[in-house]
Amino acid sequence: MNIPKELKYTKTHEWVQDTGEGTLRIGLTDYAQHELGDLVFVNLPSEGDGLTAGLAFADVESVKAVSDIYSPVTGTVVAVNEVLLDDPALINSDPYDAWLCVAGDVGETEELLSAEEYEALLAKEG
């Protein structure tokens, strides 16, 4: 399982990357994409949409089911990875490059885990 050390993680299997520009990039973890199976559709938010920590902001559809994606932060969507709309399988092939959206005006965040804490969480769930 790929768990990059420089990212932060949520208990609901999203990753967060600080861009260094006052924004955060959000995506699905390697574990999440593996558990979901082959992704065939992604429903992303729009630029300007509000995000609320702990609430669903997008969903993905696999051959198994539709699953909500929960925002790790409260803020505003400032960019969306529209490439995923045509090719959601990119999340399966490279989950840490296939980010979902970028959040700005970030206020509250969910409890974010370090890579080590996330790895321990997966060990408990496994």
Side-chain angles (χ1 to χ4, degrees):
M1 200 65 47
N2 184 11
I3 305 173
K5 301 287 184 214
E6 69 276 9
L7 302 178
K8 297 290 186 188
Y9 300 88
T10 68
K11 293 177 181 174
T12 53
H13 310 293
E14 291 84 18
W15 57 262
V16 178
Q17 177 186 39
D18 188 337
T19 65
E21 300 168 359
T23 60
L24 300 173
R25 200 172 278 135
I26 301 168
L28 280 177
T29 65
D30 191 26
Y31 175 84
Q33 71 78 23
H34 178 76
E35 290 297 305
L36 291 168
D38 293 335
L39 297 176
V40 295
F41 182 77
V42 62
N43 183 23
L44 297 173
S46 299
E47 285 184 32
D49 283 358
L51 299 170
T52 302
L55 296 183
F57 73 94
D59 57 68
V60 291
E61 184 177 339
S62 69
V63 292
K64 296 179 184 179
V66 175
S67 301
D68 284 336
I69 302 169
Y70 299 93
S71 181
V73 301
T74 296
T76 304
V77 176
V78 296
V80 175
N81 190 352
E82 294 185 2
V83 172
L84 297 178
L85 298 174
D86 292 328
D87 194 2
L90 289 172
I91 297 169
N92 293 117
S93 60
D94 193 355
Y96 298 109
D97 193 40
W99 52 276
L100 303 172
C101 73
V102 176
D105 304 319
V106 175
E108 179 187 358
T109 64
E110 282 284 289
E111 181 183 335
L112 299 178
L113 308 173
S114 68
E116 294 78 15
E117 291 167 327
Y118 184 65
E119 208 165 345
L121 174 76
L122 294 182
K124 284 184 200 169
E125 287 185 5

